[in-house]
Amino acid sequence: MSSTALRGIGMTSQRTRERMVGRLHEQGIKDEITLAALGSIARHIFVDEALSSRAYEDSSLPIGFGQTISQPYIVARMTEILRNGKPLEKVLEIGTGCGYQTAVLSKVAKEVYSVERIRPLLMKARGHLRELRLANIKLKHADGTMGLPEMAPFDGIIVTAAARHIPQELLEQLAVGGRMVIPVGTDEQTLYLIEHIKTTSGSEYRQSKLEAVKFVPLLGGTS
Ligand code: SAH
């Protein structure tokens, strides 16, 4: 890479990323670890070159195959909710897309598993994550509505596509003490937090509605 190109990346990356983090803080993201994670991942790596100048705007952008990279605010918000101020051990993401949220998660969890149903998107994500040399991530081409039973239970599950209802499989793969964030709905979508709580007689799931969101749909099967 030429030095001009390197300088170019410096311009679109470091300072712009700091500004993005400042904006997220103003928008109400309080968790310092989450903010630091977003500050450390070069978002422009995950979008096509033609869009890289817009990579740090607070908007979702197309990543091909009719899918989008989520806006920085929602990535930060979901990460903050999942963390709940504590380090995460094993996290499952449904909907890898371009891998940006996956990369952010790799900074706040020990192990990250991410499942994507569109194979060429998964290949792209793999390339991006390799470029950033993030080692604690495992990707799988599969239908995420089934979760990832072979690696369960997870202390965090994050779904980055909107479900019509909360898949039973995901509830079953959530560890006691674990948290899941999942957008639910079709035209009108709401972000839900599901907590798997220990009780005297066993455990129960507690559900809370957080805020209105806009995600691409969670679909069954693979392609
Ligand atoms: N996490 C991404 C968001 C990608 S958009 C980010 O950081 O920006 C949501 C992704 O979910 C799409 O790539 C879509 O193909 C995928 N998806 C939808 N239904 C799925 C399913 N059942 N299993 C796995 N991935 C799914």
Side-chain angles (χ1 to χ4, degrees):
M1 196 185 289
S2 73
S3 59
T4 331
L6 276 173
R7 264 203 303 277
I9 284 172
M11 288 297 284
T12 51
S13 185
Q14 244 147 292
R15 227 173 317 146
T16 337
R17 235 183 295 156
E18 279 164 28
R19 240 177 283 142
M20 178 186 82
V21 167
R23 247 180 2 244
L24 292 170
H25 188 68
E26 282 165 21
Q27 287 171 293
I29 307 297
K30 301 252 158 37
D31 180 32
E32 292 294 337
I33 304 283
T34 295
L35 289 169
L38 272 100
S40 73
I41 302 291
R43 187 171 154 93
H44 64 276
I45 302 269
F46 295 86
V47 298
D48 286 343
E49 222 166 312
L51 289 172
S52 62
S53 65
R54 300 187 51 201
Y56 298 93
E57 289 174 11
D58 197 31
S59 56
S60 58
L61 296 168
I63 54 172
F65 306 93
Q67 307 303 320
T68 52
I69 178 173
S70 303
Q71 64 185 111
Y73 170 77
I74 199 70
V75 171
R77 184 80 181 109
M78 289 172 90
T79 306
E80 177 177 70
I81 294 161
L82 209 63
R83 251 183 53 76
N84 195 28
K86 291 183 284 244
L88 291 157
E89 287 289 318
K90 206 187 335 169
V91 171
L92 172 65
E93 177 191 30
I94 308 299
T96 317
C98 62
Y100 177 67
Q101 171 82 70
T102 326
V104 169
L105 288 170
S106 82
K107 296 287 180 183
V108 305
K110 216 179 242 174
E111 296 170 65
V112 181
Y113 295 84
S114 185
V115 176
E116 169 58 52
R117 65 180 289 276
I118 303 177
R119 189 186 289 278
L121 262 183
L122 192 74
M123 308 295 277
K124 258 183 157 178
R126 189 160 274 146
H128 298 147
L129 296 168
R130 200 165 283 158
E131 201 171 323
L132 294 181
R133 296 195 171 80
L134 300 169
N136 57 338
I137 297 174
K138 293 213 171 62
L139 304 180
K140 188 175 176 185
H141 177 233
D143 175 2
T145 54
M146 311 305 285
L148 194 61
E150 63 268 36
M151 296 314 300
F154 300 94
D155 60 333
I157 299 181
I158 175 170
V159 182
T160 65
R164 282 176 174 271
H165 57 88
I166 298 166
Q168 184 61 31
E169 286 81 357
L170 297 185
L171 292 173
E172 284 165 11
Q173 293 171 32
L174 190 61
V176 176
R179 311 183 119 214
M180 166 156 72
V181 274
I182 178 168
V184 180
T186 46
D187 294 339
E188 307 243 316
Q189 301 172 7
T190 309
L191 190 63
Y192 277 78
L193 166 66
I194 315 292
E195 295 166 279
H196 193 179
I197 296 165
K198 194 173 170 8
T199 60
T200 44
S201 56
S203 71
E204 65 181 35
Y205 294 92
R206 205 168 292 165
Q207 183 174 301
S208 16
K209 278 187 172 193
L210 301 179
E211 58 202 67
V213 286
K214 189 84 197 116
F215 280 88
V216 296
L218 183 73
L219 301 172
T222 56
S223 71

